């Protein structure tokens, strides 16, 4: 994990007013298991926050993003099938007392979803991931990595679950949050969002710092205690731990031990996945974490437009 910063105060304060406000949640779907599981989370969030749900499917083509499909018989068939499935999802959401609309786009999944986030002014993008299997067919792999890096709003990725866990029976729990921190501005952005979500949902937060060397423990402990006091002032139950080891291993071990519902990490945006908070940890979390992963770009927090307390 990157060396702890000397600066005592965060670039993004977590002591701003809560709770979080959301008006639009965008769920990307390819109608597969992981997307169905992510849809359950998106509906839950929309219901809790009274947000509008935008359900987006992209039909992959070689052309640029467009609302109109290329003119071909096979494309017409794919469009009809997609619209039928989108309609069923909209109906399911409305039966759960959630306002929902669908959006069908054509072109590159990454470009289209990024466009959809901007077009709908989404506060959060929710999408499913099958971990190591990739998402060349609009499953997640490289698509998720690109959107985590570039999306102008926080991204919640949800694993598809094991074979014995039907996606439509997914249980949504958003009360135990684990946040990995190196005390950078990127880490503070993730903690800023999580603090508001935990306060709104009545959740608790565990902060984790992976030590590079035992000599830095005292400084890290002081940093964790400062964040814990800030969270407690917001009415959020919090605790922190400094542990030696590889950041990704430390976070996944803590997530399993504490049975967390969500792991959160900050990103550095367009500089690439290898420059995510915690080095390559966020990219690895997308592949290995069994629970949902929330990634937050600090630029979204500073704009004050995206899922902001």
């Amino acid at each position: 994990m990157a060396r702890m910063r000397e600066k005592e105060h965060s670039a993004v304060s977590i002591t701003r007013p809560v709770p979080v406000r959301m008006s639009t949640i965008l769920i990307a779907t390819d109608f597969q298991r992981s997307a169905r599981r992510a849809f359950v989370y998106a509906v839950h969030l929309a219901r809790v926050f009274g947000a509008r749900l935008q359900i987006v499917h992209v039909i992959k083509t070689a052309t640029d993003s467009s609302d109109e499909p290329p003119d071909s018989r096979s494309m017409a068939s794919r469009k009809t099938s997609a619209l039928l499935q989108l309609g069923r999802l909209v109906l399911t959401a409305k039966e759960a007392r959630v306002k929902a609309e669908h959006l069908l786009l054509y072109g590159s999944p990454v470009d289209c979803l990024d466009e959809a986030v901007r077009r709908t002014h989404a506060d959060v993008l929710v999408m499913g991931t099958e971990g190591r299997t990739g998402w060349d067919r609009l499953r997640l792999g490289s698509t998720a990595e690109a959107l985590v890096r570039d999306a102008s709003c926080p991204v919640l990725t949800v694993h598809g679950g094991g074979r014995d866990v039907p996606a439509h029976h997914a249980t949504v729990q958003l009360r135990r949050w684990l946040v990995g921190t190196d005390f950078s501005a990127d880490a503070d952005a993730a903690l800023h969002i999580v603090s508001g979500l935990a306060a709104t949902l009545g959740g608790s937060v565990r902060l984790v710092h992976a030590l590079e060397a035992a000599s830095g423990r005292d400084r890290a402990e002081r940093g964790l205690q400062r964040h814990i006091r800030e969270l407690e002032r917001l009415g959020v139950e919090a605790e922190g731990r400094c542990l030696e080891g590889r950041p990704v291993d430390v976070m996944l071990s803590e997530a399993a031990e504490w049975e967390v519902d969500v792991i959160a990490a900050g990103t550095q945006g367009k500089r690439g996945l290898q420059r995510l908070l915690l080095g390559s940890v966020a990219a690895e979390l997308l592949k290995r974490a069994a629970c949902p992963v929330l990634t937050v770009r600090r630029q979204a927090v500073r704009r004050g437009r995206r899922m902001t307390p």
Side-chain angles (χ1 to χ4, degrees):
M1 184 177 292
R3 183 172 299 174
M4 181 178 174
R5 305 297 176 87
E6 293 287 344
K7 191 174 181 180
E8 281 296 314
H9 297 287
S10 303
V12 180
S13 172
I14 68 169
T15 57
R16 294 170 65 184
V18 293
V20 155
R21 296 183 297 274
M22 288 194 219
S23 59
T24 302
I25 295 171
L26 191 149
I27 168 71
T29 183
D30 63 353
F31 312 118
Q32 302 302 314
R33 173 186 293 272
S34 60
R36 294 196 301 272
R37 188 175 177 88
F39 177 76
V40 177
Y41 276 80
V43 168
H44 176 79
L45 284 171
R47 187 168 57 242
V48 169
F49 290 97
R52 177 174 55 107
L53 191 63
Q54 284 280 354
I55 307 169
V56 181
H57 176 72
V58 179
I59 294 180
K60 188 174 182 179
T61 69
T63 61
D64 293 336
S65 172
S66 172
D67 293 327
E68 294 298 326
D71 186 16
S72 73
R73 184 171 299 177
S74 63
M75 184 59 68
S77 176
R78 292 169 64 188
K79 175 183 177 180
T80 299
S81 175
L83 287 173
L84 286 172
Q85 295 183 80
L86 286 169
R88 285 194 287 268
L89 291 176
V90 168
L91 180 60
T92 299
K94 289 182 176 179
E95 289 174 345
R97 300 183 301 280
V98 169
K99 295 179 181 179
E101 301 172 352
H102 74 260
L103 185 61
L104 182 60
L105 297 175
Y106 309 86
S108 159
V110 173
D111 293 342
C112 287
L113 290 175
D114 187 58
E115 174 191 339
V117 167
R118 299 176 188 280
R119 179 190 298 190
T120 63
H121 305 290
D123 298 294
V124 61
L125 168 63
V126 182
M127 47 200 320
T129 176
E130 296 292 349
R132 297 178 183 277
T133 62
W135 202 25
D136 291 336
R137 299 182 305 279
L138 197 53
R139 291 186 182 179
L140 284 183
S142 60
T143 299
E145 293 177 356
L147 288 165
V148 162
R149 182 183 68 235
D150 296 340
S152 57
C153 69
V155 179
L156 180 68
T157 54
V158 181
H159 198 276
R163 294 181 180 179
D164 59 340
V165 182
H168 59 282
H169 287 158
T171 300
V172 176
Q173 295 290 338
L174 296 172
R175 296 182 62 84
R176 290 172 172 256
W177 299 79
L178 184 141
V179 182
T181 182
D182 62 356
F183 307 102
S184 65
D186 302 294
D188 292 342
L191 184 56
H192 170 79
I193 292 297
V194 169
S195 67
L197 286 167
T200 302
L201 299 168
S204 56
V205 175
R206 173 174 284 196
L207 292 164
V208 177
H209 176 73
L211 290 167
E212 290 182 341
S215 59
R217 180 177 294 274
D218 289 343
R219 184 181 300 168
E221 292 282 4
R222 290 195 299 272
L224 288 177
Q225 288 305 313
R226 183 177 69 251
H227 280 326
I228 289 170
R229 288 192 297 270
E230 292 172 339
L231 286 164
E232 289 176 342
R233 282 197 291 271
L234 298 176
V236 177
E237 180 183 345
E239 59 183 275
R241 297 189 69 183
C242 293
L243 299 169
E244 293 186 41
R246 289 183 66 243
V248 67
D249 294 333
V250 166
M251 292 180 69
L252 291 175
S253 175
E254 287 293 287
E257 177 184 326
W258 202 43
E259 297 181 339
V260 303
D261 299 318
V262 184
I263 298 173
T267 78
Q268 291 184 337
K270 295 182 180 295
R271 297 180 184 177
L273 279 177
Q274 297 306 311
R275 296 298 303 277
L276 289 172
L277 167 73
L278 316 178
S280 61
V281 170
E284 196 168 346
L285 285 174
L286 294 182
K287 299 176 182 178
R288 295 179 55 187
C291 65
V293 176
L294 177 71
T295 50
V296 181
R297 292 180 64 207
R298 57 176 145 165
Q299 291 89 340
V301 175
R302 286 177 175 173
R303 265 200 308 275
R305 294 179 53 221
R306 308 292 190 211
M307 201 165 63
T308 303

